[in-house]
Amino acid sequence: MRIAIISDVHANQEALEKVLRDIEQQGAEAIHFLGDAVGYGCNPDECVSLIAKHCDIKLLGNHDYVALGLESTESFNQAAQDSLNWTQARIKQRTVETMSDFEITASYLDYYLVHATPEEPDRWQYLFDAGQAQEQFEHFSQSVCFVGHSHFPAIFVLGNDGIVSMHFKNKLVWRQEKRYIINVGSVGQPRDKDNRACYVIADSDSREVRFRRVQYDIDKTQKKMRKARLPEFLIERLAAGV
Ligand code: ZN
C-alpha cells in the first residue's frame, strides 16, 4: 500500500495545494499529516480545512498546541511568537474545533506517527543527530517511525549492532531486520537549503520510502505574508529554504 506522509504545513496554502496535486499524481491511497498545520504562514484556516478534507490521520504539532490554547508561546523565538499571536487573533472558531480532533500520536500498518519524538510526544524535542535518535527507538514498537518538527528531511537507522546512523538520501528501501526513524521534512517551510516543499511517499509492499520535492509559487506566498504584516524574517526564509 502506497501512502503519502506530510508535515509542517505552517499555513502555507500555495505549498500545500501543490503537494496535494503531486500526491494525487503519485497515486497514494492515503495521506497522513504529522502536525503543525498553522503558525508562520498567513492561511491557517485554508490549510486546516485542506488537511481535514484530504488527510486520513491528522496529528498536532507544537504550533497547533498554541493555536488551541493548550500551551503558551513562551518557548518560541520572537518571530514564531509574533506569527502565533497573529494566528490566534484571526483563526476561525471552526478551524480550532476541527483541529481539536487531531491526535498526538498514531500507528498505521507497521508505522508509528508523531510530530516530534516518540518519547514524550508533547515535549517537542528535536532530533538533529544520531545520538538524539538512539534512545527514541525504545519508545515505539513498529519498524518505521515517521516524524516532522525539525523541518530537516533525514533518515535514522538502527542497525543489528544497536548503533544508530543518520543518512540524507532521496530514496530508501527499508530492511526487515532494521528499524527506522524518518523525518519527512516540511511542506510549508523547508530548512535544508532547498526551498521546494518536501514530503514522503512510503510503499509497504516494496518497502520503499521516497522523498518528493515540489516547487510552488514562493513569490505569491511572500506577497500575501507581507500584506498580512507577518515578520520579514519568516517571509525571506521561504526563498532561502533555511
Ligand atoms: Zn514546524
Side-chain angles (χ1 to χ4, degrees), residues 8 10 35-36 40 62-63 115 149-151 186 189 191:
D8 295 273
H10 286 294
D36 273 1
Y40 298 139
N62 48 327
H63 289 251
H115 182 67
H149 193 40
S150 72
H151 300 205
S186 168
Q189 196 199 76
R191 294 178 190 163

Side-chain angles (χ1 to χ4, degrees), residues 156-175:
F156 300 96
V157 186
L158 175 65
N160 300 333
D161 51 7
I163 292 172
V164 174
S165 54
M166 185 183 188
H167 306 267
F168 303 97
K169 46 187 178 184
N170 294 329
K171 196 178 130 179
L172 161 86
V173 178
W174 76 80
R175 293 166 57 163

Side-chain angles (χ1 to χ4, degrees), residues 92-134:
K92 289 181 184 158
Q93 184 54 33
R94 215 180 69 185
T95 302
V96 173
E97 280 161 23
T98 303
M99 283 169 71
S100 63
D101 286 336
F102 291 11
E103 299 163 277
I104 309 293
T105 66
S107 59
Y108 184 85
L109 303 173
D110 197 16
Y111 310 141
Y112 187 65
L113 310 173
V114 61
H115 182 67
T117 56
E119 184 189 18
E120 301 181 298
D122 58 355
R123 283 203 56 211
W124 320 115
Q125 311 276 19
Y126 288 94
L127 296 180
F128 283 122
D129 58 47
Q132 291 165 335
Q134 183 90 37

